[in-house]
Amino acid sequence: MTTYTLPHKDFQFVLHDLLKVSEQDIPGFADLDRDFTAAVLEESGKLSSDVLHPLNAVGDTEGCTLENGVVRTPKGFKDAFDQVREGGWTALDVPEQYGGQGLPYVLNTAVNEPMVSANMAFNMYQGLTHGALSAILAHGSDAQKDTFAPKLASCEWTGTMNLTEPHCGTDLGLMRTKAEPQDDGSYKVTGQKIFISSGDHDMADNIIHLVLAKIPGGPEGIKGVSLFIVPKFIVKDDGSLGDRNGVSVGKIEEKMGIHGNSTCVMNYDGATGYLLGQEHKGMRAMFVMMNEARLGVGLQGYAQAEVAYQNAVAYANDRLQGRDVTGAKNPDGPADPLIVHPDIRRNLMDQKSFVEGARAFTFWGAMLIDRAHRAEDAQADGLISLMTPVIKGFLTDKGFEYATAAQQVYGGHGYIEEWGMSQFARDARIAMIYEGANGVQALDLVGRKLAVDGGKHLMGFFDMIKSFIKENEGNEALKSDFLDPLKQASKDMQAAAMYFMGAMKNPNNALAGSYDFMHLMGHVCLGYMWAQMAKAAMEALDNGASDTAFFETKIATGRYYMARQLPATGMHLARINSGADTVMALEAASF
Amino acid sequence: MTTYTLPHKDFQFVLHDLLKVSEQDIPGFADLDRDFTAAVLEESGKLSSDVLHPLNAVGDTEGCTLENGVVRTPKGFKDAFDQVREGGWTALDVPEQYGGQGLPYVLNTAVNEPMVSANMAFNMYQGLTHGALSAILAHGSDAQKDTFAPKLASCEWTGTMNLTEPHCGTDLGLMRTKAEPQDDGSYKVTGQKIFISSGDHDMADNIIHLVLAKIPGGPEGIKGVSLFIVPKFIVKDDGSLGDRNGVSVGKIEEKMGIHGNSTCVMNYDGATGYLLGQEHKGMRAMFVMMNEARLGVGLQGYAQAEVAYQNAVAYANDRLQGRDVTGAKNPDGPADPLIVHPDIRRNLMDQKSFVEGARAFTFWGAMLIDRAHRAEDAQADGLISLMTPVIKGFLTDKGFEYATAAQQVYGGHGYIEEWGMSQFARDARIAMIYEGANGVQALDLVGRKLAVDGGKHLMGFFDMIKSFIKENEGNEALKSDFLDPLKQASKDMQAAAMYFMGAMKNPNNALAGSYDFMHLMGHVCLGYMWAQMAKAAMEALDNGASDTAFFETKIATGRYYMARQLPATGMHLARINSGADTVMALEAASF
């Protein structure tokens, strides 16, 4: 019942009017002109609307099944996966030597968004594969790269990431899975891993599991964890597939959402594994992909809000209910469409202003990753590391909140599965949990990232905002609607950071405010994006852009964000400033 | 996997230390002494924990099924329903002449909370019955009361409310179901109704549908709607059951949650119905039960948060993950329990301080209903009418938010259905939608209730807060932690109300802020409850109460609410003050 359409104009606006990608001095960016990105986005949008989205409800309803040790994906998934593969969508940003197209990550991110909006559970099969591939490219030997990278790039084989065990998620130092060295240099991996997305399925010839495990005799805790490549089928020297390895599916989890993805309990029983990177440095190997992986999850958050928003708008225009209090808008009909009602608009504007801000923030983050990697820019690397927990935590919290808000527009129909709005909310919910639960993101942000390099990256971010405000202070069109609220929000964020600095004596004062800080910073980031987007839209209008409605809508949406969303910073600051006393007051037994 | 235990001390605290029920000059309240409420609550808690809660997951997993026109409830439901019936739990507050116990509604509310926490979908069978019974008692003829009331009071027969049709929910004036008068004084009801909770099932001998329909030739729109009693089986003059009536189940809806309740499409095909109340006054008959019904839904919101919170606390104490940054709390174990981490506590304190505040607010509201009905107090009636949309809208929004927050404590396990936390969130979600979607509650509050009797009830509420602050201004223990924040929040609410008064020229300015006002007022109400609870707890300690830990925890939890939740009023005020311009700026086509 739901539909998805790529918001083409908005993508182009972010890439070209805001980020001006083709003008960036980053290797490979000169090719990203308007025509090129338009062509790629159009194809990705078409695939997403016509092939992937119709399978979204199918995936939810059918789910994955385990029969005699074999996982079956929902009807139609395999055909669609073949189409994604054949279209080359799995390897846009993979180096050409491994069969990819070597394009920037920012384009890969843009191309990915519609696929995630259209069918998040389906997209995870390729998303996890991309993650595994990145790990192998970053840490593998040449032989490992040659063996695994081309197959993963094309998704002929898919990948998984195996971290969690029944008794340990965030605290991986408690891990029990062990990897015993063999005479031939390989390892025998034994243990149980849970919550393994895309753990097994019927859409690829082989599955390459990346598994964290401990080599007996190594250091205690997290310092003794290594990373292993464990293929479902052993790959023979000539590249052909040999015996089934000692890894099997224990069960498929019944989840709140993303039913189309097979979330498996994986049992390793003396499975043959190959060390990836160095012994006992498994976490380092994992962490190197973290900025990308977490940005990808942040994208899932707002991408679900986007598709939910699109359907809420359609319903609000279509459903006739009540009358505009200022006068009928559909006098010949039995009632006016829902969209005339101020509170429906308030809800839709909350959604719209969030999603568009989140898209700009995420694409900007992706460009920072490109700048860090392709231009080896340490400042960009520091900045994106600072932003990563905010992208992941804030965008997934808000993405779920607004997917739920979109569901609300449907009234009772929003609660009925047949209408499809419940699925968006249920699917979006996982993004707040996996790839580091959002509380852990907040801890990473406040407990680690703020202080990196003496707070240099945080200061750098404040300076960017200050410079932007200063550069534009003569711009009356921006001043009261954009610059003033941004300045206030940024001041709130600085005050919170100052409070944390004073809290060094009692780290709980900072940690008790970490979640609020993540949200406070998220609002400042989106406010900063909106101020820049408003400026870019005004410039486009000044330059005689023909699509005036688009740019005027962009500015009006920005005004909404600044007036109605940004004031949340004051509330978060008040919560932070109240310190840890009320948070930590109770004995554990008194809860 | 989940458990539920009635928080006995907290119930008694609210009933006796805060509300001092047995001292109220309301008929029937003198009986509500501590021993009596303790005994009733203990039995209700036992039933909820031992009988109802174990069926919660069963209901979710099995759902209801329609076979050859017959609805089957999940395994165990019928036995449990018999136990509820036999215990007399369905008619505590029903007049004795109809087989009830004539007890106050506030006690009925308190007794209901554990049953809702334990199994919301199950509880709805009796909840809807109670609503139908109230309608018949309020509007029925003596013969109708005699025929239907005793059977509904005992839940030998159950009831439903039929309002919504496929094309109309909130806007019932668009209704198409018609009721044609017959020579014998009855009507033939024909049409389709949707979203009918408990529409059909196998736990009662008869089902009494209350159906809104239009009598042909009556006034247009909402003014031509009448209410009818349509029994599943015709009741013969001697009270025995006769023929099957012309009403059937079209289908059972697949919903996001409350699977244990049969939400039906009901088809009326010339079904025999009996006018309840006056012709064309059906909405009035419906509205008279609205304060109770909406209070009941608000209770569902926080009651789901309560059970989710209980389980989150247990998990946080049990799950070992990471170390307290200020020093290990479980040095001999592999890690510390989650509850040592400040952000976990922040989350749990948010939940706890909300739920306890919400309980106090709801029980207070129930007492106002008793005062309005039993003491015929018009002021109490006006006040509860003002509070009703806040109880319904704010408590269900927050209830869902905190059920989701409790799920987050479980990390990945929160997303797996087997652990039960997803169900609490999915079940809680409906309470934001039915019985008037929360946007409609906000509209009712701002568009209607604020101005009733020239704003008298709103002013009355402000006066109550002012008086409380004044009476206690010399109380240093209360001042900075409770009275000052309450004063500030109340000022924010007054400023918002003033803004709305100035917005009469442009009603959109008020309506665009209606949702924020509902939340702002919700926080003020809970802040007011917390200030009073803190005072009551301090008095108990001063009076030498032996359970000091309970009262100290109560005060500490209140401090948390005032410091960390109440500052939200400033954000809502800022949103309200920004007016309708940014909300209404876009053309409908520009969304």
Side-chain angles (χ1 to χ4, degrees), chain A residues 12-69:
Chain A
Q12 290 283 74
F13 173 79
V14 172
L15 290 172
H16 301 290
D17 296 276
L18 176 69
L19 300 178
K20 302 185 197 301
V21 285
S22 65
E23 298 170 27
Q24 297 291 329
D25 58 339
I26 305 174
F29 269 55
D31 296 339
L32 301 181
D33 59 34
R34 281 185 192 264
D35 288 347
F36 178 65
T37 60
V40 178
L41 288 171
E42 191 179 330
E43 289 307 311
S44 161
K46 215 184 286 177
L47 178 76
S48 299
S49 299
D50 300 346
V51 178
L52 306 186
H53 193 61
L55 294 174
N56 196 44
V58 176
D60 189 56
T61 312
E62 282 192 23
C64 297
T65 48
L66 178 63
E67 289 165 18
N68 303 321

Side-chain angles (χ1 to χ4, degrees), chain A residues 85-160:
Chain A
R85 249 190 303 246
E86 284 155 19
W89 297 109
T90 62
L92 277 190
D93 65 337
V94 175
E96 292 175 61
Q97 69 181 111
Y98 299 113
Q101 299 178 55
L103 287 163
Y105 179 65
V106 70
L107 185 69
N108 196 62
T109 300
V111 161
N112 204 40
E113 188 197 306
M115 297 196 267
V116 174
S117 284
N119 198 326
M120 177 169 153
F122 177 89
N123 179 264
M124 289 169 64
Y125 292 98
Q126 77 191 80
L128 272 299
T129 305
H130 196 278
L133 170 59
S134 295
I136 289 172
L137 290 180
H139 299 282
S141 65
D142 288 342
Q144 287 172 334
K145 290 183 201 174
D146 290 341
T147 302
F148 298 106
K151 297 287 194 183
L152 290 171
S154 66
C155 276
E156 283 171 85
W157 301 350
T158 64
T160 72

Side-chain angles (χ1 to χ4, degrees), chain B residues 12 16 21-22 29-38:
Chain B
Q12 289 284 76
H16 301 288
V21 285
S22 64
F29 270 54
D31 296 338
L32 301 181
D33 61 33
R34 281 184 192 264
D35 288 346
F36 179 65
T37 62

Side-chain angles (χ1 to χ4, degrees), chain A residues 169 171 321-322 345 415 426 586, chain B residues 169 171 321-322 345 415 426:
Chain A
D171 191 352
Q321 207 81 174
R345 285 193 173 239
Y415 201 66
R426 288 185 290 98
L586 303 192
Chain B
D171 190 353
Q321 208 81 177
R345 288 195 170 235
Y415 201 66
R426 288 185 291 98

Side-chain angles (χ1 to χ4, degrees), chain A residues 127-323:
Chain A
L128 272 299
T129 305
H130 196 278
L133 170 59
S134 295
I136 289 172
L137 290 180
H139 299 282
S141 65
D142 288 342
Q144 287 172 334
K145 290 183 201 174
D146 290 341
T147 302
F148 298 106
K151 297 287 194 183
L152 290 171
S154 66
C155 276
E156 283 171 85
W157 301 350
T158 64
T160 72
M161 311 291 267
N162 292 241
L163 288 77
T164 306
E165 301 182 4
H167 62 290
C168 71
T170 300
D171 191 352
L172 290 170
L174 304 175
M175 187 173 294
R176 289 178 194 151
T177 298
K178 62 176 196 277
E180 290 174 298
Q182 306 297 303
D183 292 341
D184 64 356
S186 72
Y187 292 77
K188 290 285 178 213
V189 178
T190 301
Q192 188 177 64
K193 295 287 182 177
I194 63 170
F195 305 157
I196 308 308
S197 300
S198 320
D200 196 30
H201 59 86
D202 53 4
M203 304 194 294
D205 298 333
N206 202 3
I207 297 177
I208 309 306
H209 302 288
L210 297 197
V211 184
L212 285 177
K214 286 186 168 177
I215 300 170
E220 286 290 298
I222 197 70
K223 290 178 182 161
V225 167
S226 309
L227 184 59
F228 298 89
I229 299 174
V230 184
K232 176 177 172 182
F233 291 100
I234 299 290
V235 182
K236 291 195 279 199
D237 288 342
D238 64 357
S240 66
L241 299 184
D243 292 343
R244 188 77 155 75
N245 203 351
V247 48
S248 60
V249 179
K251 71 166 173 170
I252 299 181
E253 302 283 7
E254 295 290 336
K255 308 182 298 292
M256 184 178 186
I258 54 167
H259 298 156
N261 196 274
S262 53
T263 306
C264 298
V265 172
M266 301 300 300
N267 293 321
Y268 294 87
D269 187 15
T272 298
Y274 312 101
L275 185 68
L276 178 60
Q278 293 173 263
E279 267 191 5
H280 313 317
K281 305 289 186 195
M283 291 311 292
R284 191 189 293 173
M286 277 287 170
F287 271 99
V288 84
M289 289 92 57
M290 206 156 272
N291 289 346
E292 281 189 31
R294 292 183 169 177
L295 185 139
V297 175
L299 184 150
Q300 290 181 328
Y302 82 79
Q304 289 307 294
E306 163 70 38
V307 65
Y309 164 76
Q310 288 188 16
N311 286 281
V313 168
Y315 191 80
N317 275 303
D318 190 51
R319 175 87 170 173
L320 303 180
Q321 207 81 174
R323 289 292 184 191

Side-chain angles (χ1 to χ4, degrees), chain A residues 404-452:
Chain A
T404 304
Q407 183 187 19
Q408 189 75 10
V409 173
Y410 278 64
H413 297 94
Y415 201 66
I416 307 295
E417 292 294 351
E418 187 187 345
W419 289 76
M421 299 304 285
S422 161
Q423 188 189 349
F424 298 137
R426 288 185 290 98
D427 287 359
R429 182 69 184 87
I430 188 57
M432 297 158 71
I433 298 173
Y434 63 18
E435 197 56 40
N438 286 356
V440 176
Q441 302 298 328
L443 178 65
D444 177 47
L445 176 64
V446 169
R448 198 178 300 145
K449 298 292 177 64
L450 289 189
V452 165

